Amino acid sequence: MNLLHIVGFGLKVGHLLLMLCCWFLSLISLNWLSNGKIMTTKNSLLGDGWKIWMKLWDQLPGRGSKIHHQHSQHKHSGEEKKNWWTKLLIAWIVFGFIISLSVFWYMSSQAVEKRKEMLTSMCDERARMLQDQFNVSMNHIQAMSVIISIFHHAKNPSAIDQRTFARYTDKTSFERPLTSGVAYAVRVLHDEREQFEIQQGWTIKRMDKDEQTPVHEDEYHPEDLEPSPVQKEYAPVIFAQETVAHVISLDMLSGKEDRDNILRARESGKGVLTAPFRLLKTNRLGVILTFAVYKRDLPPNATPAERTQASAGYLGGIFDIESLVEKLLQQLASEHTILVNVYDTTNSSLPISMYGSNASFDGLFRVSALHFGDPFRRHEMHCRFKQKPPWPWVAITTSVFILIITLLAAQIFHATLSRIAKVTEDCEKMVYLKQQAEKADTAKSQFLATVSHEIRTPMNGVLGMLQMLMDTHLDDTQQDYVRVAGESGKTLVSIINAVLDQAKIESGKLELEAVNFNLRGIVDDVLSLFSGKSQDKKVELAAYVSSKIPDMLVGDPGRFKQIITNLVGNSMKFTDKGHIFVTVHLVEEVAEMEADRDPTSSLSGSSVVDRRQSWTDFKIFEETSAMVSLADQVNVIVSVEDTGQGIPHEAQVRVFNPFVQVGPSITRTHGGTGIGLSISKCLVHLMRGEIGLSSSPGVGSTFTFTAVFTNGSSESNGEIPDHPSTNISSEFQGMKALVVDPNPVRAKVSRYHIERLGIHVEVVSHLSLMVSGSTPINMVFVEEDVWEKQLDMLVVLYNELKKDCGVSPKTLLLSNSPSYNRPGFSASDDLTPFVVTKPLRANMLAASLRRVMGVRSCRNGELYSSTLSGLLHGRRVLVVDDNPVNLRVAAGALKKYGADVVNAERGKYAIALLTPPHTFDACFMDIQMPEMDGFEATRIIRKTEAAINKGLQSGDLSMEDYNNVSNWHVPILAMTADVIQATKEKCLKSDMDGYVSKPFEAEQLYREISRFFQTTPDEHP
Amino acid sequence: MEIVGQLQKQFVDFSTSLYGEGFLDEQYLQLQKLQDESNPDFVCEVVSLFFDDSEKLLNNLATALQQQVVDFKQVDAHVHQFKGSSSSIGAQRVKNMCVAFRNFCEEKNLDGCLRCLQQLNHEYFLVKNKLETLFRLERQIVEAGGTVPVIVA
């Protein structure tokens, strides 16, 4: 195992652990944040393993579905969770420690094992070498024994004497590297002693009794030794190597060790070893190897007795074990790394150290057995390392590394935990703040609503009083002050109304009504509202409604009008020149319409922004295909285009926010609260539409919104077959008009309005193109700018026209300002143009035409008189009012229009009069009457009618008795002083057919009654 | 003719002042338009109806407001009627007074109502005076052989 390998392994393990941590953490965080619901989905995804986790999870105290019910509880369980996670973190760290320790243990044990192996091999090697060398020496000594047996005993006289032996042994000592010397002792029986001693010239001496006591060399004198006592036999040394010459004449059998050795050697016939002992003279540890020399060759299976009998002498070799081992070790490499001890373990309980220091060391050691050829003796070699084992740095590094990784993971975990805790805390804080903010917002809305309402009431008082103050005798200055105060009050009330609207919308209290209305009429109303302003500012104001828009739509006309009014008002505020152009189309036709559009032309010729951009975000265009299926649905798209100062890009996103204006300077120069667009946006959303804008500073802005209505004409409301704004035109039906206008857009607008009156329109861009057709042209509409430029040509052509057709067409000049100063013109009366002030509206246009065409010179309001007469002439009308004055006036007014009026002062009279059969065509009823109010009376009348109708249908009542009318339903119109929506609704609820304000306004009266009575054109052309 | 011219001028001036000071409004003009050959005394008729009705209502109001427990609903009904008739003939200031009166009724403010009643009385007699003067002038013009000029507000 090399270091790289280990590091790689460590890295892998670390990586794995990190991955594990990440997975775990991601699960935790997911779990933490999403709780309950997501957990169940996770459940199925992650299978059973996760389920077990879930169970564990759920068993945690304080956990479960209750957690999120209450804030405090949530907090509590959050703490529980936190504790749990802390425990987990600690467990993780402990786990890391365990892993790191076990890795350390494993690696160090590996190292120890390796060391052991090394030691074993080294020790074994040494033991084998020692054994080999010993065997070599032993073999040589054996060989010497053979030499002695041959040359000493077999020859007579002996070929060997001490000198020969010494010389030989000296010369051959290299063969016996481990022996310090060899000696030969001969076997001498006691009876041969005398002869032997004589022959040798010395007496047999015995060895020291006390062999173990060390003796100094200097003091050693062989002469001092005593002669051997009488023994059965002796083994005196006769030959010895020079090194051990001092042993000559010593009786070997007198030494205990030697005696044992000799006895064993001659019995076994093999080399035997003594136990280690201190050598004489050298005082070093040594052993003596003894071989027996036999007189004759013995069979291998000879008995010990036979051997003893045959033995002639004994050859002993002294082995210096210490030097032997030292020499051996010197030959080997790494001798310093290990420490060698050699023991004689023949007596296992008391081993005799043969070599090596006795320093006790309980570390690693190896025991190798040594066989020196003597089965009786056992030897062992003990090996140890000299140095203590080195620190297992690799293991330490690895384990520390793992520990660090674990701790890092724990740190990440901890950081994540604290982060999650912080985020959770922040989240809670924010939820709390959000609730606070929402509460504050609701409080604000409520406050606004309440305050607005509360302000309105006293403001009405203030306004009323101001009005009264104005009626008192005041001088001019005072009048002026009061007027300003009144105006300011009115403005304040309108602002309050806007705020109230906003508050209502925000609190979701605003509901749209769904009534029949005429979109064109609404657009005309808006134009009328702004006509004065546009004329003052010399801004061209125009509207165009696509012919594909149905006449009657169902929706909330008031709110629709409010949106357009807001947008036009806004445009009016910021536009000082050019035009403001309101266009209404069906969403479905916009695409093709825009494709045809000439981008360069506009109403006033000024450049405009591309209004397509204002609806790029609208979803309705994506859904167009889906919308088709709803046949009743009418998707209206309204654009208000102006050439004002435009809105800077950065402010465009903000303009729909309440109380936000483009900049503070806007507020300063133009005033306003900045609430209008916000309300518009809300209203548009209520109408299931969208609103957008496109604007570029300096060019202008275009606001576009869509709204969804239902088709009114498709509703089965047969009572409204006709409508004044369409009916207005009957008197001009079939006439022909010529519009001279080079601007196609403006011409289109003029054409739209004139065609609404039922007049056939032809457009030419230039006077010279005026062609007289087969039908006479009744009127010529000329734009102001054309008029000024082409006056001369006009005169000429005009005369021609007059000649051709015989009738002089009336000339109408379309002008932006009412005080248009027409150039002096006296050629013909017919040519003196009649100025029609823009913005064009159907009603206004009709009025102008009537005047021009000589129908009647009329003022506003009287316009309808003729038609009213047409409607009411000869009708029998019942007027019910408890107020005699009102009654008289109403009756007078109706009589004026030719109606046959009957008066009733009480509701009950009316009931009596209106019980079929009767001859009344209509009834005007006051709502507020004592005894029985108008609603009550109407209900009763309707009940009676219903009963009679039922009777007539079933045949219970005869038709003759009821003027042959099968379905009785007299139109009842409410007369009321306060024309407010609530009253109107109430009227319709109590089965009234309509309402008129008191005192009568001709236009409104006309509108209402025209729904029931058809004009008879013959009477009133 | 001198007298007629003078009378006519006086009439016009007087009428204009009536409109200018807000005693009368457009409704009175409308009323005048309703008067034609078939109905020569229409305005006079209506106005005298108004006078009768108003005096009755003012009495009723006075009585109603003097009650121990004032029935503001009843008062309101009377004022409503007064408002209706006054707006029908175009007596603008009376009508406005009625509006204010009704507000007090709504608030059940007795003091305000009483004050209003006083002012209403005042306004009513003022307009009655003015109208009577107007009629007298008209009559004088007619007697003098002239035609009553048409006032355009």
Side-chain angles (χ1 to χ4, degrees):
Chain A
M1 231 197 275
N2 60 29
L3 189 70
L4 273 175
H5 190 177
I6 289 164
V7 171
F9 168 75
L11 280 175
K12 268 181 193 166
V13 168
H15 183 70
L16 195 77
L17 285 171
L18 270 177
M19 293 291 285
L20 204 77
C21 289
C22 292
W23 173 78
F24 202 57
L25 283 178
S26 65
L27 278 186
I28 289 158
S29 52
L30 254 179
N31 208 339
W32 195 306
L33 294 172
S34 55
N35 296 308
K37 285 176 207 160
I38 291 183
M39 272 210 271
T40 50
T41 55
K42 280 266 164 229
N43 213 352
S44 54
L45 284 174
L46 294 171
D48 293 340
W50 185 251
K51 271 180 197 162
I52 292 160
W53 275 104
M54 283 279 295
K55 271 180 199 160
L56 278 171
W57 193 270
D58 285 339
Q59 277 162 8
L60 286 170
R63 252 206 80 82
S65 55
K66 295 178 277 183
I67 290 170
H68 299 283
H69 288 181
Q70 274 182 347
H71 183 70
S72 59
Q73 208 170 350
H74 183 228
K75 210 168 180 177
H76 172 69
S77 82
E79 267 164 28
E80 289 274 337
K81 257 192 279 178
K82 203 175 165 184
N83 289 339
W84 198 77
W85 287 117
T86 318
K87 278 176 200 162
L88 192 72
L89 185 68
I90 291 165
W92 170 253
I93 291 171
V94 168
F95 170 74
F97 269 107
I98 289 167
I99 286 281
S100 134
L101 283 177
S102 53
V103 165
F104 174 76
W105 175 79
Y106 172 74
M107 289 184 71
S108 56
S109 71
Q110 287 279 320
V112 166
E113 198 64 33
K114 195 181 151 221
R115 212 169 135 80
K116 212 181 206 168
E117 247 169 55
M118 205 168 76
L119 186 67
T120 307
S121 72
M122 278 166 82
C123 198
D124 285 354
E125 193 191 356
R126 275 156 182 73
R128 206 174 56 244
M129 279 180 72
L130 187 64
Q131 208 173 301
D132 285 352
Q133 293 214 350
F134 191 86
N135 282 345
V136 167
S137 302
M138 201 170 74
N139 286 345
H140 198 261
I141 289 168
Q142 199 171 5
M144 262 174 78
S145 76
V146 173
I147 289 170
I148 287 170
S149 124
I150 293 169
F151 291 100
H152 183 64
H153 292 289
K155 283 211 174 192
N156 204 6
S158 167
I160 304 165
D161 58 5
Q162 163 62 23
R163 240 180 57 212
T164 328
F165 187 83
R167 240 179 108 194
Y168 175 76
T169 48
D170 250 5
K171 299 273 173 160
T172 57
S173 67
F174 68 91
E175 293 257 34
R176 310 176 299 275
L178 305 181
T179 54
S180 53
V182 282
Y184 180 66
V186 75
R187 187 182 180 214
V188 177
L189 294 174
H190 185 68
D191 47 352
E192 294 166 349
R193 181 177 171 176
E194 297 276 328
Q195 192 194 345
F196 178 78
E197 278 179 346
I198 295 161
Q199 196 180 343
Q200 294 290 333
W202 38 262
T203 53
I204 298 168
K205 294 174 186 98
R206 80 176 178 95
M207 277 194 200
D208 284 336
K209 277 180 195 162
D210 190 9
E211 257 181 285
Q212 258 66 35
T213 45
V215 280
H216 286 291
E217 204 178 340
D218 305 340
E219 296 165 20
Y220 186 74
H221 301 294
E223 288 79 20
D224 298 344
L225 296 173
E226 292 168 25
S228 173
V230 177
Q231 297 281 335
K232 198 179 165 196
E233 60 178 320
Y234 309 94
V237 176
I238 52 171
F239 308 134
Q241 205 179 334
E242 280 300 309
T243 49
V244 290
H246 58 275
V247 295
I248 291 175
S249 81
L250 287 182
D251 180 9
M252 286 298 139
L253 284 174
S254 63
K256 189 175 181 304
E257 291 282 333
D258 294 326
R259 185 189 171 82
D260 284 356
N261 236 21
I262 288 164
L263 292 180
R264 272 199 302 127
R266 72 185 186 192
E267 277 168 14
S268 66
K270 286 175 186 159
V272 291
L273 289 169
T274 61
F277 59 94
R278 295 264 159 213
L279 292 176
L280 294 171
K281 250 175 124 186
T282 57
N283 195 29
R284 295 175 76 137
L285 270 177
V287 289
I288 293 173
L289 175 72
T290 311
F291 272 102
V293 177
Y294 298 101
K295 289 172 187 154
R296 59 175 190 278
D297 289 337
L298 287 171
N301 55 354
T303 60
E306 280 171 349
R307 285 179 186 276
T308 312
Q309 196 60 48
S311 62
Y314 322 102
L315 185 66
I318 301 159
F319 284 83
D320 186 346
I321 295 290
E322 272 182 66
S323 58
L324 176 69
V325 177
E326 244 157 56
K327 243 185 255 170
L328 180 78
L329 293 182
Q330 271 160 15
Q331 283 168 25
L332 287 167
S334 65
E335 53 168 328
H336 299 299
T337 53
I338 61 169
L339 206 63
V340 177
N341 278 6
V342 181
Y343 293 98
D344 183 314
T345 55
T346 311
N347 183 356
S348 59
S349 62
L350 192 76
I352 305 157
S353 173
M354 289 163 81
Y355 173 77
S357 67
N358 232 352
S360 72
F361 179 66
D362 46 34
L364 193 64
F365 75 100
R366 164 74 188 177
V367 177
S368 302
L370 291 170
H371 297 286
F372 291 142
D374 182 357
F376 180 71
R377 297 240 164 238
R378 276 192 295 276
H379 297 89
E380 278 177 359
M381 184 183 261
H382 290 197
C383 299
R384 288 186 304 251
F385 280 102
K386 264 184 188 159
Q387 279 102 16
K388 290 206 167 195
W391 287 97
W393 287 115
V394 172
I396 290 171
T397 329
T398 313
S399 57
V400 166
F401 191 61
I402 287 171
L403 192 63
I404 287 171
I405 287 173
T406 320
L407 289 178
L408 274 177
Q411 164 64 24
I412 291 168
F413 186 79
H414 178 71
T416 316
L417 272 188
S418 46
R419 177 90 190 130
I420 288 171
K422 195 174 175 317
V423 167
T424 318
E425 198 180 305
D426 285 358
C427 187
E428 273 167 15
K429 220 184 275 172
M430 277 166 192
V431 165
Y432 178 69
L433 287 176
K434 186 172 166 267
Q435 281 169 351
Q436 291 278 308
E438 276 167 356
K439 260 184 223 161
D441 196 50
T442 320
K444 183 210 79 182
S445 291
Q446 270 172 2
F447 171 77
L448 273 179
T450 317
V451 165
S452 307
H453 190 77
E454 291 305 314
I455 291 173
R456 235 166 22 158
T457 317
M459 266 319 283
N460 282 336
V462 170
L463 288 178
M465 286 303 155
L466 279 174
Q467 193 63 45
M468 281 169 64
L469 185 64
M470 249 171 126
D471 299 339
T472 55
H473 296 285
L474 299 172
D475 61 32
D476 286 350
T477 328
Q478 285 169 331
Q479 280 271 355
D480 194 44
Y481 292 166
V482 174
R483 198 175 42 76
V484 171
E487 287 301 315
S488 310
K490 273 178 199 156
T491 318
L492 180 60
V493 168
S494 74
I495 289 171
I496 289 166
N497 283 343
V499 172
L500 201 59
D501 265 357
Q502 177 77 29
K504 255 189 195 168
I505 290 166
E506 273 175 10
S507 56
K509 277 179 195 154
L510 193 81
E511 278 175 18
L512 294 184
E513 49 177 10
V515 294
N516 269 309
F517 74 100
N518 181 310
L519 187 138
R520 291 180 176 81
I522 297 285
V523 176
D524 279 356
D525 287 351
V526 176
L527 291 197
S528 312
L529 207 62
F530 289 100
S531 59
K533 241 183 198 161
S534 73
Q535 286 157 8
D536 289 348
K537 281 186 134 180
K538 300 239 169 26
V539 170
E540 185 153 3
L541 179 65
Y544 175 79
V545 180
S546 159
S547 55
K548 288 185 183 159
I549 304 271
D551 287 330
M552 293 305 287
L553 292 173
V554 177
D556 191 329
R559 296 303 178 178
F560 183 67
K561 185 174 166 183
Q562 194 179 351
I563 300 168
I564 303 183
T565 310
N566 276 338
L567 293 180
V568 173
N570 207 46
S571 292
M572 190 60 80
K573 222 187 249 177
F574 299 113
T575 307
D576 297 320
K577 59 178 188 338
H579 68 263
I580 295 164
F581 188 24
V582 183
T583 50
V584 187
H585 289 95
L586 287 182
V587 166
E588 288 81 4
E589 66 175 322
V590 159
E592 50 188 293
M593 177 192 82
E594 285 303 311
D596 299 342
R597 208 165 99 101
D598 179 6
T600 54
S601 67
S602 74
L603 189 68
S604 65
S606 323
S607 57
V608 290
V609 292
D610 184 0
R611 59 175 152 158
R612 266 172 293 184
Q613 282 173 9
S614 62
W615 63 67
T616 43
D617 292 338
F618 285 13
K619 288 187 191 78
I620 195 161
F621 291 103
E622 294 155 24
E623 297 162 2
T624 318
S625 51
M627 302 289 216
V628 176
S629 54
L630 299 161
D632 247 13
Q633 193 166 316
V634 181
N635 300 308
V636 172
I637 181 162
V638 183
S639 283
V640 178
E641 173 188 285
D642 70 50
T643 56
Q645 63 188 54
I647 301 164
H649 240 282
E650 62 275 11
Q652 286 184 12
V653 284
R654 288 188 282 127
V655 293
F656 292 115
N657 296 344
F659 305 111
V660 166
Q661 287 183 325
V662 170
S665 61
I666 297 293
T667 319
R668 212 161 46 239
T669 48
H670 298 278
T673 52
I675 206 173
L677 285 177
S678 155
I679 292 175
S680 301
K681 188 183 182 186
C682 295
L683 291 174
V684 165
H685 282 186
L686 283 175
M687 292 185 185
R688 291 182 287 153
E690 291 150 287
I691 189 161
L693 84 156
S694 131
S695 177
S696 69
V699 177
S701 318
T702 299
F703 283 83
T704 301
F705 70 93
T706 61
V708 180
F709 298 113
T710 39
N711 196 338
S713 26
S714 67
E715 276 208 351
S716 55
N717 197 346
E719 285 170 33
I720 313 166
D722 216 341
H723 195 267
S725 66
T726 49
N727 208 18
I728 265 174
S729 50
S730 56
E731 51 198 304
F732 303 109
Q733 209 79 45
M735 289 186 178
K736 196 175 170 188
L738 189 70
V739 173
V740 183
D741 191 349
N743 183 332
V745 179
R746 198 167 52 180
K748 194 170 141 194
V749 173
S750 311
R751 184 195 191 121
Y752 153 69
H753 286 288
I754 299 164
E755 277 183 344
R756 280 171 73 188
L757 301 175
I759 301 168
H760 181 75
V761 180
E762 223 171 85
V763 178
V764 291
S765 59
H766 198 267
L767 276 174
S768 57
L769 298 170
M770 216 153 85
V771 191
S772 59
S774 50
T775 46
I777 290 166
N778 302 83
M779 54 200 103
V780 179
F781 291 89
V782 184
E783 280 291 336
E784 189 179 355
D785 46 356
V786 178
W787 182 265
E788 282 165 10
K789 281 180 210 153
Q790 308 174 3
L791 195 58
D792 300 337
M793 196 183 285
L794 194 67
V795 179
V796 178
L797 284 165
Y798 212 80
N799 289 332
E800 269 177 33
L801 261 180
K802 195 175 175 182
K803 241 183 276 164
D804 288 349
C805 310
V807 193
S808 65
K810 304 287 185 202
T811 313
L812 291 103
L813 185 64
L814 299 172
S815 165
N816 271 331
S817 74
S819 55
Y820 176 66
N821 239 343
R822 46 208 104 146
F825 202 82
S826 54
S828 161
D829 268 358
D830 295 327
L831 255 178
T832 311
F834 186 88
V835 177
V836 179
T837 316
K838 286 185 198 173
L840 293 179
R841 278 107 62 203
N843 292 342
M844 185 269 305
L845 196 62
S848 305
L849 280 178
R850 262 185 221 108
R851 222 175 320 174
V852 174
M853 303 305 278
V855 174
R856 184 179 289 193
S857 168
C858 49
R859 291 208 332 265
N860 189 24
E862 278 183 30
L863 211 118
Y864 298 95
S865 302
S866 58
T867 35
L868 267 177
S869 308
L871 286 174
L872 284 172
H873 188 82
R875 307 279 186 189
R876 240 170 94 78
V877 178
L878 179 68
V879 180
V880 191
D881 199 332
D882 64 310
N883 188 326
V885 183
N886 288 355
L887 186 62
R888 189 74 190 83
V889 172
L894 290 170
K895 264 183 199 153
K896 174 90 175 165
Y897 299 126
D900 182 4
V901 183
V902 176
N903 296 341
E905 289 197 0
R906 290 284 182 271
K908 54 187 175 191
Y909 302 156
I911 295 169
L913 284 166
L914 287 176
T915 305
H918 60 76
T919 51
F920 291 105
D921 293 305
C923 170
F924 288 83
M925 180 141 15
D926 186 27
I927 290 174
Q928 239 178 356
M929 287 187 292
E931 291 171 36
M932 183 185 284
D933 68 8
F935 300 129
E936 177 75 36
T938 310
R939 264 195 293 278
I940 292 168
I941 292 165
R942 291 293 180 234
K943 227 190 229 163
T944 321
E945 279 175 346
I948 287 164
N949 286 343
K950 206 171 162 192
L952 285 170
Q953 265 161 23
S954 60
D956 294 345
L957 298 166
S958 109
M959 292 274 266
E960 279 81 37
D961 297 339
Y962 292 93
N963 304 356
N964 287 334
V965 177
S966 62
N967 191 10
W968 284 93
H969 181 100
V970 66
I972 299 177
L973 294 157
M975 289 190 293
T976 167
D978 13 53
V979 193
I980 50 171
Q981 210 58 45
T983 320
K984 183 183 172 184
E985 271 163 25
K986 215 169 163 195
C987 291
L988 298 176
K989 219 185 264 172
S990 37
D991 276 333
M992 288 184 165
D993 298 275
Y995 74 99
V996 291
S997 60
K998 219 166 40 164
F1000 290 154
E1001 281 167 23
E1003 186 179 341
Q1004 197 200 12
L1005 185 64
Y1006 176 90
R1007 200 154 60 210
E1008 288 298 319
I1009 61 175
S1010 64
R1011 284 164 42 192
F1012 312 107
F1013 306 142
Q1014 295 301 311
T1015 330
T1016 38
D1018 314 332
E1019 289 176 59
H1020 300 272
Chain B
M1 280 324 259
E2 188 68 19
I3 305 163
V4 173
Q6 220 169 4
L7 279 172
Q8 274 175 343
K9 190 178 177 302
Q10 209 178 334
F11 178 81
V12 170
D13 285 348
F14 186 68
S15 303
T16 320
S17 79
L18 282 184
Y19 294 115
E21 286 164 32
F23 286 106
L24 295 176
D25 63 11
E26 271 191 0
Q27 183 57 32
Y28 187 74
L29 292 172
Q30 298 286 336
L31 216 58
Q32 280 181 321
K33 267 178 228 145
L34 294 177
Q35 178 171 294
D36 53 16
E37 298 79 34
S38 64
N39 211 348
D41 289 329
F42 180 71
V43 176
C44 205
E45 214 175 293
V46 171
V47 169
S48 47
L49 252 176
F50 170 69
F51 290 159
D52 293 349
D53 192 49
S54 299
E55 269 149 51
K56 194 175 76 203
L57 280 170
L58 283 170
N59 274 334
N60 287 348
L61 276 172
T63 327
L65 285 173
Q66 274 159 16
Q67 297 298 315
Q68 208 71 30
V69 182
V70 179
D71 182 0
F72 282 102
K73 233 174 172 176
Q74 178 68 35
V75 175
D76 188 61
H78 289 316
V79 181
H80 174 72
Q81 195 152 2
F82 204 177
K83 188 187 143 206
S85 52
S86 57
S87 68
S88 276
I89 68 146
Q92 200 179 195
R93 292 169 66 147
V94 176
K95 189 186 89 185
N96 289 340
M97 203 61 236
C98 288
V99 173
F101 202 153
R102 286 194 78 182
N103 280 338
F104 285 124
C105 277
E106 225 169 284
E107 290 169 24
K108 302 201 192 307
N109 183 341
L110 188 59
D111 282 350
C113 284
L114 286 170
R115 214 163 46 238
C116 268
L117 181 61
Q118 210 174 346
Q119 284 189 37
L120 198 60
N121 253 316
H122 174 73
E123 287 292 343
Y124 165 68
F125 285 111
L126 216 60
V127 81
K128 191 183 176 187
N129 257 325
K130 302 272 179 192
L131 282 170
E132 276 169 352
T133 316
L134 200 67
F135 288 144
R136 204 177 52 244
L137 275 170
E138 256 176 62
R139 239 190 343 269
Q140 282 172 355
I141 294 169
V142 174
E143 277 166 11
T147 50
V148 181
V150 178
I151 305 295
V152 181

